[in-house]
Amino acid sequence: MEMSQIDGRMEGWLYTIRHNRFGLQFSRKRYFVLHDNNLTSFKSVPSDQNEEPDRRASLDCCIRVTDNGRESFHRKILFIFTLYNTSNHLDQLKLGASSPEEAAKWIRSLQDASQKKFPFPDCEFVSHAEKGLVKFNVSRRSRRKNSVDWTNYSSVNVETIAPDVIAPSPWKIFGCQNGLRLFKEAKDWDSRGRHWDDHPAIMAVGVIDGTSEDIFNTLMSLGPLRSEWDFCFYKGTVVEHLDGHTDIVNIQLYSDWLPWLMNRRDVLLRRYWRREEDGTYVILCHSVYHKKCPPTKGYVRACVKSGGYVVTPVSKGKQSLVKHMVAIDWRSWNLYMRPSSERSITIRVVERLAALREMFKAKQGHGFAEFVSGEFMQTKSSLSKINTLPFKKEAKRIDLELVKVEEMEKPSSARNSLMDLNDASDEFFDVPEPNESYEFDSLIDNSPFSQGHSQLKLPSPSGIVKKLQDLANNKKGYMDLQEVGMDVNSTFIYGATLQQDPNLTMPCSWSIADPSTFLIRGDNYLNDQQKVKANGTMMQMVGADWISSDKREDDLGGRLGGLVQEFAAKGGPEFFFIVNMQVPGSAMISLALYYMLKTPLEEHPLLHSFVNGDDAYRNSRFKLIPHISKGSWIVKQSVGKKACLVGHALEVRYTRGKNYLELDIDVGSSTVARGVTNLVLGYLNNLVIEMAFLIQANTAEELPELLLGTCRLNYLDVSKSLKER
């Protein structure tokens, strides 16, 4: 689909995604033009710039853009994004682009247009069902001073491609084969002579002659043409589509390349993807259990502890650096299958990258866009219904080539449209690590590989029953056993519900992270774009909360009996800065970090401006630098090590008290952030998380930057969060 961007003018074909009066989705192809802050739409390409559009609107700071990810509409894969008005979330426009690159460019352009300051921000989007169009109605509206400037997590302002955290590489090279460098995850015991564990994480790295977008589409496809490069792949099915960035897929593997007498294998994966600002695509996956897809007769279900791809554009986008990582337990119980044999199989898996490279080399100049196939996203339940039709002898997974644009105008059949109305629940839970509190094999009856595994402790029956009752009440549909048995404690001292451990050894505790781990803007950043190690913090971390509740817990700093109010009652000069991260789920989890400033606020001009500024200013300045210092590759890759402006990624509520400012951050306000958080929660009690907070310096007077504070969270456990009544 053609798209152009000249002199601040963005134009191209998009699809408007609508619901008719029966609630069925349909789409219309329209030509959109964005110039300055004016967005117009046409039914055809305008003949000149003076042609009158069908619809028009002006964008201001009250219009937000969010990335909804990858969806299937009328047998075509579209990448969806939504514009909406913060004063009325029902007032929105849903659009689709035919590629992730187009969607990313439109999102960035729309975000930039909404942030510009124009004299008459008085137009808003209004959704109508009339004639299947989205109208742009003009209505006077005053500029809202304290407005949220929300962009999606994947397109947040990332300053540089380089990470903002100094950390040693977790990988150690052990060989080179088929033009690929092969790495294994480095362990502390490597220096003591033990070079491999039982199920090592292995990564292959190579350069492919293709754009990151084409490689991403190829890796995501489960179509028949996957067999041109993936010698492990037999067939795949999308079991459940969770959202635009996450789905559950079942992949059956060929047995030809496996050792003799080894049974066929399959995997059931939760697959998550996102696109970074620099054009990098990240695809992550790990094993889950789903009641709609139990183990298949004749197959042994392998357990992927972590795996995926990172595709980074190089050579001005003409080539891509691709990393393919896998850590997998093949569930082998035969005595002849030694760990070295399992390692050899895993190494063979990552060598698929060489086949992918050769395929791209062979496809150069032969219309590669027509080669990439998409898959129609049907669940296994819907496929089983198709199998009952008299003219179908067996259910087959539907793999489709990309269809022509004109087919989007055709009305969908009643069956396909009704499928879009299905609100399937997330009936899965993460496969645990071997040292977690329950055994995955116990969930699968008569598994041949269950022999030889030690029996671990299961949650108490009363705890499981209570949890299932909660799930039934919430209609959530899936079970996360790690959340079973939350403690109930009615005694609260806000700011002290999570214990401190200066020795950095105690589980479910907090401590202060080393500031020199993080990179910040130096004195000459505006000239040389160089960052330097932080050498200290402005504020001191004095407490933390780890709370679960049935609702959002806002304004913890204003609650009586808490740490902040105790200091307020004494009338001292101390000022508190509270970061309250709210994670949605079967229970709302709040992680609140308390920082105290002992010197007067007026002595710190940038912080003073932030505390007393409006929400738009705060959203454009508050920055977080994340770092997973201990944890699996999949979690480290999902979180990353790049600074981000939190207010440009998530919705933030600011509460200004007498002696404090609290930031209540809704992690569930972004589809991409929810995907990252759900992944992190599955591994939480095996992670050490470090974070740094700062206010971004944009002028020479504000440089160099200074960290507000840091924290280190040691092996948090959701079951040990305190229950708020």
Side-chain angles (χ1 to χ4, degrees), residues 54 260 296 408 417:
D54 296 321
W260 182 63
T296 306
M408 295 295 296
S417 296

Side-chain angles (χ1 to χ4, degrees), residues 24 40 44 121 154 222 247 357 413 523 567 623 641 713:
L24 305 179
T40 56
S44 60
S154 64
L222 300 179
D247 53 18
R357 180 193 62 211
S413 65
D523 288 297
F567 278 86
K623 195 157 60 175
K641 296 183 288 186
L713 305 169

Side-chain angles (χ1 to χ4, degrees), residues 297-327:
K297 184 177 180 181
Y299 283 87
V300 173
R301 180 150 294 172
C303 177
V304 177
K305 297 181 178 181
S306 64
Y309 301 85
V310 179
V311 186
T312 304
V314 294
S315 303
K316 297 182 179 180
K318 296 179 181 179
Q319 294 179 311
S320 298
L321 177 68
V322 184
K323 301 177 182 178
H324 178 26
M325 178 273 180
V326 171

